[in-house]
Amino acid sequence: MHIVCPHCQGLNRSPAERLSDNPVCGKCKQGLLPAHPIDLKQADFARFIEKSDLPVIVDFWADWCGPCKMMAPAFAQAAQQLQGKAIFAKVDTESNPMLSQQFTIRSIPSLLVFKQGREVNRQAGAMPAGQLIQWAQQVIR
Protein backbone atom coordinates (compact mmCIF):
# COMPACT_ATOMS: atom_id res chain seq x y z
CA MET A 1 0.00 0.00 0.00
CA HIS A 2 1.13 3.54 -0.71
CA ILE A 3 1.01 5.92 2.24
CA VAL A 4 1.95 9.60 2.21
CA CYS A 5 3.87 10.64 5.30
CA PRO A 6 1.85 13.23 7.27
CA HIS A 7 5.11 14.85 8.42
CA CYS A 8 7.31 15.19 5.31
CA GLN A 9 4.90 14.25 2.48
CA GLY A 10 7.24 11.41 1.42
CA LEU A 11 5.59 8.53 -0.42
CA ASN A 12 6.06 5.18 1.31
CA ARG A 13 5.08 1.60 0.58
CA SER A 14 4.00 -0.85 3.24
CA PRO A 15 2.42 -4.29 2.93
CA ALA A 16 -1.24 -4.16 3.98
CA GLU A 17 -0.70 -6.90 6.57
CA ARG A 18 1.98 -4.75 8.30
CA LEU A 19 -0.15 -1.63 8.80
CA SER A 20 -0.91 -2.66 12.39
CA ASP A 21 2.86 -2.63 13.13
CA ASN A 22 2.95 1.20 13.10
CA PRO A 23 5.15 1.64 10.00
CA VAL A 24 7.54 4.60 9.87
CA CYS A 25 8.49 6.87 6.99
CA GLY A 26 11.62 5.83 5.14
CA LYS A 27 12.56 9.48 4.76
CA CYS A 28 11.89 11.18 8.13
CA LYS A 29 11.46 8.06 10.33
CA GLN A 30 8.23 9.32 11.90
CA GLY A 31 5.01 7.31 12.14
CA LEU A 32 2.97 7.01 8.94
CA LEU A 33 -0.35 6.24 10.61
CA PRO A 34 -0.87 8.55 13.58
CA ALA A 35 -3.60 7.73 16.08
CA HIS A 36 -4.88 11.29 15.80
CA PRO A 37 -6.20 13.49 13.00
CA ILE A 38 -3.60 15.27 10.90
CA ASP A 39 -3.92 18.84 9.63
CA LEU A 40 -4.03 19.27 5.86
CA LYS A 41 -3.55 22.53 4.02
CA GLN A 42 -4.05 23.62 0.43
CA ALA A 43 -0.41 22.93 -0.41
CA ASP A 44 -0.38 19.27 0.68
CA PHE A 45 -4.03 18.25 0.28
CA ALA A 46 -3.97 16.91 -3.30
CA ARG A 47 -0.81 14.84 -2.88
CA PHE A 48 -2.02 13.34 0.37
CA ILE A 49 -5.47 12.44 -0.97
CA GLU A 50 -4.37 11.23 -4.41
CA LYS A 51 -1.36 9.13 -3.37
CA SER A 52 -2.76 7.39 -0.27
CA ASP A 53 -4.13 3.90 -0.80
CA LEU A 54 -5.88 3.97 2.57
CA PRO A 55 -9.21 5.80 2.72
CA VAL A 56 -8.86 9.37 3.99
CA ILE A 57 -11.67 10.87 6.07
CA VAL A 58 -11.46 14.66 6.10
CA ASP A 59 -13.24 16.91 8.57
CA PHE A 60 -13.84 20.37 7.13
CA TRP A 61 -14.23 22.64 10.17
CA ALA A 62 -13.73 26.17 11.51
CA ASP A 63 -12.57 27.49 14.87
CA TRP A 64 -15.71 29.60 15.34
CA CYS A 65 -18.04 26.63 14.77
CA GLY A 66 -19.57 25.27 17.98
CA PRO A 67 -20.64 21.88 16.53
CA CYS A 68 -17.13 21.50 15.04
CA LYS A 69 -15.57 21.98 18.47
CA MET A 70 -18.05 19.56 20.02
CA MET A 71 -17.27 16.88 17.42
CA ALA A 72 -13.46 17.26 17.56
CA PRO A 73 -12.97 14.77 20.45
CA ALA A 74 -15.23 12.24 18.70
CA PHE A 75 -13.22 12.63 15.49
CA ALA A 76 -9.97 12.12 17.44
CA GLN A 77 -11.45 9.03 19.10
CA ALA A 78 -12.43 7.62 15.70
CA ALA A 79 -8.90 8.27 14.40
CA GLN A 80 -7.46 6.34 17.32
CA GLN A 81 -9.91 3.45 17.09
CA LEU A 82 -9.58 3.06 13.31
CA GLN A 83 -5.81 3.60 13.11
CA GLY A 84 -4.39 1.57 10.23
CA LYS A 85 -7.78 1.25 8.52
CA ALA A 86 -8.20 4.89 7.48
CA ILE A 87 -6.39 8.18 7.81
CA PHE A 88 -8.22 10.99 9.58
CA ALA A 89 -7.46 14.56 8.57
CA LYS A 90 -8.79 18.03 9.32
CA VAL A 91 -9.03 21.06 7.04
CA ASP A 92 -9.59 24.47 8.60
CA THR A 93 -12.02 26.14 6.19
CA GLU A 94 -11.00 29.63 7.31
CA SER A 95 -7.32 29.03 6.51
CA ASN A 96 -8.03 27.03 3.34
CA PRO A 97 -11.00 28.69 1.61
CA MET A 98 -10.04 27.37 -1.83
CA LEU A 99 -10.38 23.78 -0.61
CA SER A 100 -13.79 24.59 0.84
CA GLN A 101 -14.81 26.07 -2.49
CA GLN A 102 -13.32 23.20 -4.50
CA PHE A 103 -15.37 20.64 -2.56
CA THR A 104 -18.48 22.84 -2.28
CA ILE A 105 -18.54 22.86 1.50
CA ARG A 106 -21.82 24.52 2.40
CA SER A 107 -22.06 23.60 6.08
CA ILE A 108 -19.59 22.60 8.72
CA PRO A 109 -18.60 20.27 10.08
CA SER A 110 -18.60 18.28 6.85
CA LEU A 111 -16.90 14.91 6.58
CA LEU A 112 -15.66 13.78 3.17
CA VAL A 113 -14.27 10.33 2.45
CA PHE A 114 -11.66 9.91 -0.28
CA LYS A 115 -10.47 6.65 -1.80
CA GLN A 116 -7.58 6.80 -4.25
CA GLY A 117 -8.09 10.50 -4.83
CA ARG A 118 -11.83 10.44 -5.42
CA GLU A 119 -14.58 11.57 -3.07
CA VAL A 120 -16.78 8.55 -2.36
CA ASN A 121 -18.95 9.75 0.52
CA ARG A 122 -19.97 12.88 2.39
CA GLN A 123 -21.75 13.63 5.64
CA ALA A 124 -22.68 17.05 6.98
CA GLY A 125 -23.24 17.79 10.66
CA ALA A 126 -21.73 16.78 13.96
CA MET A 127 -21.98 13.20 15.23
CA PRO A 128 -21.22 11.64 18.60
CA ALA A 129 -18.25 9.27 18.75
CA GLY A 130 -20.19 6.01 18.47
CA GLN A 131 -22.18 7.16 15.47
CA LEU A 132 -19.09 8.64 13.80
CA ILE A 133 -17.10 5.43 14.24
CA GLN A 134 -19.96 3.31 12.93
CA TRP A 135 -20.39 5.59 9.90
CA ALA A 136 -16.64 5.57 9.22
CA GLN A 137 -16.47 1.77 9.40
CA GLN A 138 -19.27 1.50 6.84
CA VAL A 139 -17.76 3.95 4.35
CA ILE A 140 -14.17 2.66 4.44
CA ARG A 141 -15.06 -0.91 3.51
Side-chain angles (χ1 to χ4, degrees):
M1 299 196 86
H2 289 97
I3 304 168
V4 177
C5 178
H7 308 284
C8 72
Q9 302 301 311
L11 187 58
N12 294 265
R13 287 194 303 182
S14 178
E17 61 273 6
R18 303 286 314 263
L19 294 180
S20 61
D21 295 338
N22 296 320
V24 297
C25 177
K27 187 175 177 183
C28 73
K29 308 299 183 213
Q30 295 194 56
L32 289 174
L33 302 171
H36 57 81
I38 61 168
D39 291 317
L40 290 178
K41 296 176 179 25
Q42 179 76 39
D44 54 14
F45 187 88
R47 176 174 173 77
F48 200 88
I49 297 300
E50 292 168 6
K51 300 292 182 183
S52 294
D53 285 338
L54 280 175
V56 182
I57 300 175
V58 182
D59 175 16
F60 284 82
W61 69 284
D63 191 44
W64 51 262
C65 170
C68 297
K69 287 182 179 182
M70 287 177 37
M71 191 178 77
F75 195 71
Q77 184 178 343
Q80 184 175 19
Q81 189 165 333
L82 298 174
Q83 182 182 16
K85 295 179 175 80
I87 298 168
F88 286 73
K90 296 179 80 65
V91 170
D92 181 350
T93 57
E94 293 294 305
S95 301
N96 301 281
M98 291 182 71
L99 283 174
S100 300
Q101 184 179 13
Q102 178 182 349
F103 292 103
T104 320
I105 302 300
R106 301 225 189 274
S107 64
I108 53 174
S110 282
L111 302 175
L112 278 63
V113 181
F114 296 88
K115 290 184 180 178
Q116 298 176 328
R118 291 187 11 247
E119 181 185 339
V120 296
N121 204 319
R122 174 184 292 234
Q123 174 71 40
M127 291 185 270
Q131 183 182 356
L132 175 58
I133 291 166
Q134 184 178 28
W135 174 80
Q137 288 173 326
Q138 291 174 354
V139 298
I140 62 176
R141 291 181 194 205

